[in-house]
Amino acid sequence: MTGALVLAGCSSTSEPESPPVDASALAGSVTENAVVAHLEELQTIADDNDGNRAAGTPGYEASVDYVAQVLTDNGFDVQTPEFEFHNFDVAAEKLMSRDRDVEVRALSYSPSTGPEGLTARLVPARQDETPGCEATDYDGLDVNGAIVLVDRGICPFSAKQQIAAERGASAVIVVNNEDGPMSGGTLGDPSVGKIPTGGVSRADGDALRQGDGDVTLTLDTSTETSTSRNVIAQTTTGSTDDVVMVGAHLDSVPEGPGINDNGTGVAAILETAVQLGGSPDADNAVRFAFWGAEELGLLGSEAYVTGLSEDERNDIALYLNFDMLGSENAGYLTYDGDNSDNVGEGPGPEGSAGIERTFVEYLGKNGIAANGTDFDGRSDYGPFIEQKIPSGGVFSGADDKKTAEEAQKWGGTPDAVFDKHYHSPTDTLANIDRAALAKNASAVAYAVGVYAESLAGPNGVPTGADREKARAAQ
């Protein structure tokens, strides 16, 4: 099977025996105890499998089996399509300049220097509006056999290293364009990697640019190709021309069990599915997705979305994403569909503003004044937004710090990260804010109920010809 499985056409038009979906009742049916019971199962799976549920591990496969069985038992049409992914591992990353250790991060899928590293001249590329993005940036510079130092910006990392490689460079070091170390950088795919490529902070890049002589770069990396599975489950009722898609990533990082990140999102949408049932009396089909290999770069959701035909993508009315709902120092954040916060990436596709209002209004009625959070591309909504599918969700915060204003509004500790257990062995059930999880899980169910019943109204999303026009225009 491929990641493109869509379950199209599996909903019927026959009248179900269940009562019509009521969003408020659905929200009330998703209880804290039931959600925590799913987390207990995921914690046990991690405990039994080397402490994690990472893609490509027995812990992940056991997580897939658990989720798929719960959905099957509750009347859903369930599939677990496979997709290919690349597992990138770094055994060592080190940069020495004049006997000084410089923090360097290997970009994902960087070719390896080998464990011995390589020593060569450091040659800074020109600093201009398109640093290292054009071959002419190296005119007059002798970069043959050298390690090139180039600023981040404008073109992809893969293009910077390819151009430097074509000019004869032996490696590339990319200088971050903001404070702090380079994190999350990637060449995109193992096949495009030509020479070892790492990243350093802006401050370290400035210092390196002032030096001269040789540097020694060690990026001891390896990439292995493997397969993983998504879990896709759809109601047997409701229009398949207007699918409400709901997703959460199922994998953890290798360092820990991933109970907040993202057992909480999984548990919330899984219990929503249980309470909704496989054959609800709903106008629109609901498709639940549990994504694999998100922690390796949104790979499961990317494989799924890119594998759809244009018609299959147009059948998805909206996408709701849930990633971290019970952070220990919890926030109450909704994806900023209308860009009212004016931070970062701008608004989501048309309809995203209405999705945001649905969450804000529901939380507000329950005494919670939510803040916006940017569509920063760090979770599985990314591939959907790229295809202009309206998206939204709630989020309790990760490694950003809670402000004093937010602490006053929601409680918790100001000037401390939302989740100090993020991506660590201590991301366990013991470190979940259960009250925050309960409130967010009820918001999950409410939004699913709203859109399962209707896509219309002031918080609705485009349908029919309006949908095609909106997606073609953006």
Side-chain angles (χ1 to χ4, degrees):
M1 297 182 185
T2 70
L5 192 68
V6 296
L7 299 173
C10 64
S11 295
S12 70
T13 56
S14 61
E15 289 295 324
E17 298 180 359
S18 57
V21 172
D22 179 279
S24 295
L26 183 61
S29 71
V30 175
T31 66
E32 176 184 336
N33 286 342
V35 173
V36 169
H38 296 304
L39 293 183
E40 289 173 343
E41 294 289 343
L42 295 175
Q43 181 72 66
T44 298
I45 288 170
D47 292 344
D48 291 344
N49 290 279
D50 297 322
N52 73 83
R53 302 180 300 100
T57 70
Y60 181 74
E61 291 303 308
S63 299
V64 168
D65 292 343
Y66 170 70
V67 168
Q69 190 62 57
V70 170
L71 292 164
T72 299
D73 290 346
N74 283 275
F76 285 86
D77 187 337
V78 182
Q79 303 291 339
T80 59
E82 287 187 349
F83 62 92
E84 187 177 88
F85 73 95
H86 308 293
N87 193 14
F88 179 70
D89 183 65
V90 180
E93 43 192 2
K94 186 175 182 180
L95 178 62
M96 291 289 296
S97 174
R98 291 183 172 183
D99 297 324
R100 172 177 171 260
D101 275 324
V102 178
E103 182 178 6
V104 64
R105 304 276 181 89
L107 273 62
S108 292
Y109 309 131
S110 166
S112 181
T113 62
E116 70 283 354
L118 64 89
T119 300
R121 295 175 294 117
L122 183 71
V123 177
R126 290 192 182 88
Q127 294 179 288
D128 59 19
E129 293 181 355
T130 58
C133 298
E134 300 171 355
T136 54
D137 291 341
Y138 297 104
D139 286 353
L141 294 175
D142 178 13
V143 298
N144 191 48
I147 298 174
V148 167
L149 185 73
V150 61
D151 287 342
R152 183 178 190 173
I154 303 302
C155 64
F157 298 126
S158 57
K160 294 179 188 290
Q161 61 91 37
Q162 182 172 348
I163 291 168
E166 290 171 351
R167 296 303 293 258
S170 61
V172 169
I173 298 171
V174 182
V175 180
N176 205 358
N177 54 7
E178 56 187 31
D179 293 337
M182 180 79 73
S183 61
T186 180
L187 298 182
D189 189 271
S191 64
V192 305
K194 306 298 182 185
I195 52 178
T197 305
V200 298
S201 69
R202 178 162 56 185
D204 284 333
D206 290 343
L208 288 167
R209 193 172 281 111
Q210 302 307 313
D212 54 32
D214 291 350
V215 297
T216 299
L217 175 67
T218 303
L219 299 176
D220 188 8
T221 65
S222 62
T223 302
E224 294 183 359
T225 300
S226 186
T227 60
S228 188
R229 294 186 290 168
N230 293 322
V231 181
I232 309 293
Q234 184 164 299
T235 57
T236 61
T237 51
S239 169
T240 55
D241 294 331
D242 292 304
V243 175
V244 177
M245 193 148 192
V246 189
H249 77 84
L250 183 54
D251 62 316
S252 74
V253 293
E255 290 78 12
I259 300 304
N260 188 38
D261 183 20
N262 181 39
T264 53
V266 167
I269 73 169
L270 184 59
E271 185 58 23
T272 296
V274 168
Q275 296 303 320
L276 181 68
S279 303
D281 183 0
D283 282 355
N284 307 310
V286 181
R287 185 180 302 159
F288 293 91
F290 301 81
W291 306 118
E294 187 269 358
E295 297 290 4
L296 300 177
L298 319 183
L299 301 185
S301 55
E302 181 70 32
Y304 180 83
V305 173
T306 58
L308 300 176
S309 68
E310 182 177 356
D311 287 343
E312 289 164 345
R313 286 193 293 269
N314 282 336
D315 287 341
I316 300 174
L318 71 155
Y319 175 66
L320 303 176
N321 189 75
F322 303 103
D323 190 351
M324 302 180 65
L325 302 182
S327 302
E328 187 181 57
N329 191 29
Y332 293 92
L333 304 164
T334 62
Y335 292 121
D336 188 15
D338 61 1
N339 197 34
S340 56
D341 292 350
N342 197 29
V343 174
E345 292 300 315
E350 185 173 339
S352 302
I355 298 171
E356 180 187 9
R357 288 193 297 271
T358 294
F359 285 113
V360 169
E361 290 169 5
Y362 176 78
L363 290 170
K365 289 177 182 177
N366 287 275
I368 301 165
N371 283 2
T373 187
D374 183 39
F375 281 120
D376 60 8
R378 290 177 61 178
S379 195
D380 289 298
Y381 55 75
F384 290 87
I385 287 177
E386 289 178 6
Q387 297 297 329
K388 304 171 185 175
I389 296 171
S391 300
V394 291
F395 174 48
S396 60
D399 51 353
D400 289 331
K401 289 184 177 181
K402 178 180 281 188
T403 67
E405 179 185 8
E406 289 169 335
Q408 184 175 15
K409 181 186 292 188
W410 303 321
T413 306
D415 201 35
V417 296
F418 289 107
D419 185 8
K420 67 182 180 182
H421 308 286
Y422 177 64
H423 283 189
S424 79
T426 57
D427 184 6
T428 64
L429 182 57
N431 292 318
I432 295 296
D433 183 328
R434 296 194 181 192
L437 174 60
K439 293 171 184 175
N440 281 320
S442 69
V444 171
Y446 179 79
V448 170
V450 165
Y451 292 110
E453 190 58 29
S454 176
L455 303 177
N459 294 341
V461 299
T463 59
D466 289 338
R467 180 185 301 162
E468 293 183 13
K469 182 179 179 182
R471 296 186 187 180
Q474 295 180 43

